Amino acid sequence: LISAENLSKVYKTGEVEINALKDISFEIEPASFISFVGPSGSGKTTLLNLIGSLDKPTSGFLQVAGANISTLDRKQSARFRGDNIGFIFQDFNLIPVLTTYENIEYPLLMVQEVPSDQRKKKVGELMEAVGITEQSDKYPDQLSGGQKQRVAVARALVSNPKLVLADEPTANLDHATAYMVIDLMKRMKDEFGTTFIFSTHDQKIVGEVEILHTLEDGRLISTEMNKEA
Amino acid sequence: LISAENLSKVYKTGEVEINALKDISFEIEPASFISFVGPSGSGKTTLLNLIGSLDKPTSGFLQVAGANISTLDRKQSARFRGDNIGFIFQDFNLIPVLTTYENIEYPLLMVQEVPSDQRKKKVGELMEAVGITEQSDKYPDQLSGGQKQRVAVARALVSNPKLVLADEPTANLDHATAYMVIDLMKRMKDEFGTTFIFSTHDQKIVGEVEILHTLEDGRLISTEMNKEA
Ligand SMILES: Nc1ncnc2c1ncn2[C@@H]1O[C@H](COP(=O)(O)OP(=O)(O)OP(=O)(O)O)[C@@H](O)[C@H]1O
Ligand SMILES: Nc1ncnc2c1ncn2[C@@H]1O[C@H](COP(=O)(O)OP(=O)(O)OP(=O)(O)O)[C@@H](O)[C@H]1O
Ligand SMILES: [Mg+2]
Ligand SMILES: [Mg+2]
């Protein structure tokens, strides 16, 4: 599903150049449960943003679901994301003027034109699965940190995307709630063949993935298979 | 240092009332390392906001560093916070138009009028202690999640406050970086007698505190002493 070769990303701030990713190469199969781990600042979010076509590589090759990411213009990029990607942002990125329900429903309205009764059913199921049904009519500034995180999770999953990019999806969750989220994702992988790519510091997620890629200072320094997952 | 009796907080959203905190009572001694834990939505952030006088109780009594929180007006509240509190916000709350250095320096300029060479030394020491010296001239939108979190930590500690309220201070940090932050806080407690109150889901912090208060659905349901801490 994903193929990266000598992928690099350089951020320029004035005179200073930051080599956020250096020569990264890897392949990811469909229907996998994969995680990138590594120290704060090692490049995990940067890599997820490239895979999700939210940003362009500086050099190297990146193919995701058949698309060559470097060649997509803004319009093609938005179309590609709408058709293929569910993104759980590290800072949630909820729309402040929409309620919980409306935030989760958004991809179904904007991107996929799903009929009203189907939307209601799908949004309801996801709110239930992550335990936020009671927050349905609230706005983001009325939610706890972990509630906002779960709205972000539900929104990323509602359109049943081929590929879910989950950046620290359990950082603000207690043990039990984190496992509600992880179990939901495992069910989606089993039922729909969804591919999940995590960036995380959470050992609970690390324990569940099949393949663990470790980043350090922008480099991919190791890849491990988890035999028990 | 802190005394709470029958503390309650009700949020009103239109017709709906949410009882975020229900009849909470506890005492906290100076120079302690305390944490509140509990499920997402159980009231931890709400409680920290009351203790830090960022919000008012609905009913009950709350005294912090000699001040009766319910009786402070806006001006007294701001003065109280400036004199006593360092707050690490769950969503960081950095000022977007200030660099890392300027964000950390801010309390020393705005609140305490510390001379320039002393500010430079203090800000430098804290950036070093949490590993973000290289991010000194960057703006928040150029930082990784864990780097933003560490700027928030450094800013809360820079004025050597009597009381630090730390809401999920390690949620976005890897193991090693989280311990840099925890060790810095332990040093401050030993050296200056700083009181630290955490709200967290992180077992690494839980393992280090002397007293653990558990919240559930707005109630304080248990208090445990950690003999090994
Ligand atoms: N401004 C508000 N208006 C209405 N309800 C609110 C408001 N702020 C918080 N709440 C609700 O109060 C409850 C407690 O919220 P709080 O943020 O204190 O939880 P928390 O324990 O910090 O959770 P988390 O671990 O997810 O950060 C939640 O159910 C939340 O939805
Ligand atoms: N827009 C930008 N401009 C300049 N530097 C940036 C920008 N975005 C990220 N960086 C830098 O690139 C490096 C990698 O950032 P990234 O967000 O990918 O790290 P991360 O592994 O996700 O970290 P964390 O675990 O803290 O979330 C960091 O040093 C960061 O400061
Ligand atoms: Mg990140
Ligand atoms: Mg909270």
Side-chain angles (χ1 to χ4, degrees), chain A residues 135 138 141-148 150 172-174, chain B residues 11-13 18-21 38-47 90 167-168 199 201 215:
Chain A
Q135 317 307 327
K138 282 176 154 180
D141 64 358
Q142 296 168 324
L143 299 178
S144 79
Q147 289 167 344
K148 284 183 222 165
R150 286 177 277 162
N172 286 278
L173 302 179
D174 56 281
Chain B
Y11 292 112
K12 276 213 186 69
T13 45
I18 291 133
N19 295 309
L21 293 176
S40 169
S42 55
K44 305 179 295 298
T45 294
T46 300
L47 181 55
Q90 190 166 5
D167 202 344
E168 300 280 3
S199 144
H201 299 297
L215 290 179

Side-chain angles (χ1 to χ4, degrees), chain B residues 17-213:
Chain B
E17 281 198 356
I18 291 133
N19 295 309
L21 293 176
K22 304 164 187 167
D23 260 339
I24 307 246
S25 302
F26 59 84
E27 301 224 330
I28 293 178
E29 305 295 316
S32 6
F33 229 59
I34 306 284
S35 187
F36 289 92
V37 292
S40 169
S42 55
K44 305 179 295 298
T45 294
T46 300
L47 181 55
L48 256 58
N49 287 346
L50 293 186
I51 295 170
S53 196
L54 287 165
D55 200 359
K56 291 269 170 284
T58 304
S59 64
F61 173 79
L62 178 62
Q63 180 162 301
V64 181
N68 182 337
I69 296 295
S70 302
T71 65
L72 302 178
D73 63 31
R74 276 181 66 90
K75 205 167 167 205
Q76 291 167 326
S77 202
R79 182 83 194 270
F80 164 80
R81 285 196 305 277
D83 290 346
N84 294 291
I85 313 271
F87 209 117
I88 303 167
F89 294 91
Q90 190 166 5
D91 61 1
F92 319 146
N93 226 351
L94 302 181
I95 300 173
V97 298
L98 298 183
T99 62
T100 290
Y101 183 94
E102 292 163 345
N103 259 292
I104 298 168
E105 181 192 39
Y106 191 81
L108 299 180
L109 280 175
M110 290 297 126
V111 180
Q112 301 199 339
E113 301 168 12
V114 173
S116 170
D117 53 346
Q118 275 186 48
R119 290 200 308 269
K120 211 164 178 178
K121 180 164 183 291
K122 189 71 189 171
V123 175
E125 284 172 1
L126 277 165
M127 288 198 294
E128 201 67 28
V130 299
I132 53 172
T133 310
E134 285 178 34
Q135 317 305 328
S136 181
D137 299 332
K138 284 176 154 183
Y139 291 90
D141 65 357
Q142 297 170 324
L143 299 178
S144 79
Q147 288 166 344
K148 283 184 224 166
Q149 187 145 47
R150 285 177 279 163
V151 177
V153 169
R155 176 181 63 180
L157 306 182
V158 75
S159 61
N160 255 342
K162 218 174 273 167
L163 172 62
V164 175
L165 302 174
D167 202 344
E168 300 280 3
T170 56
N172 286 277
L173 302 179
D174 55 282
H175 196 87
T177 313
Y179 275 113
M180 280 175 81
V181 167
I182 293 169
D183 290 345
L184 167 62
M185 292 173 166
K186 285 164 79 173
R187 284 200 303 277
M188 282 184 65
K189 169 180 166 266
D190 293 338
E191 208 171 323
F192 304 112
T194 316
T195 302
F196 283 87
I197 300 178
F198 298 92
S199 144
T200 190
H201 299 297
D202 188 349
Q203 282 304 312
K204 299 193 278 302
I205 291 181
V206 169
E208 302 282 340
V209 299
E210 303 149 350
I211 297 178
L212 199 65
H213 295 293

Side-chain angles (χ1 to χ4, degrees), chain A residues 39-87:
Chain A
S40 170
S42 55
K44 304 179 296 297
T45 293
T46 301
L47 181 55
L48 256 59
N49 287 346
L50 294 185
I51 295 170
S53 196
L54 287 165
D55 199 359
K56 291 268 170 282
T58 305
S59 65
F61 173 79
L62 178 61
Q63 179 161 304
V64 181
N68 182 337
I69 296 296
S70 304
T71 66
L72 302 178
D73 64 31
R74 275 181 67 88
K75 205 166 167 207
Q76 293 168 324
S77 202
R79 182 81 195 270
F80 164 80
R81 284 198 305 275
D83 290 346
N84 295 291
I85 313 275
F87 210 116

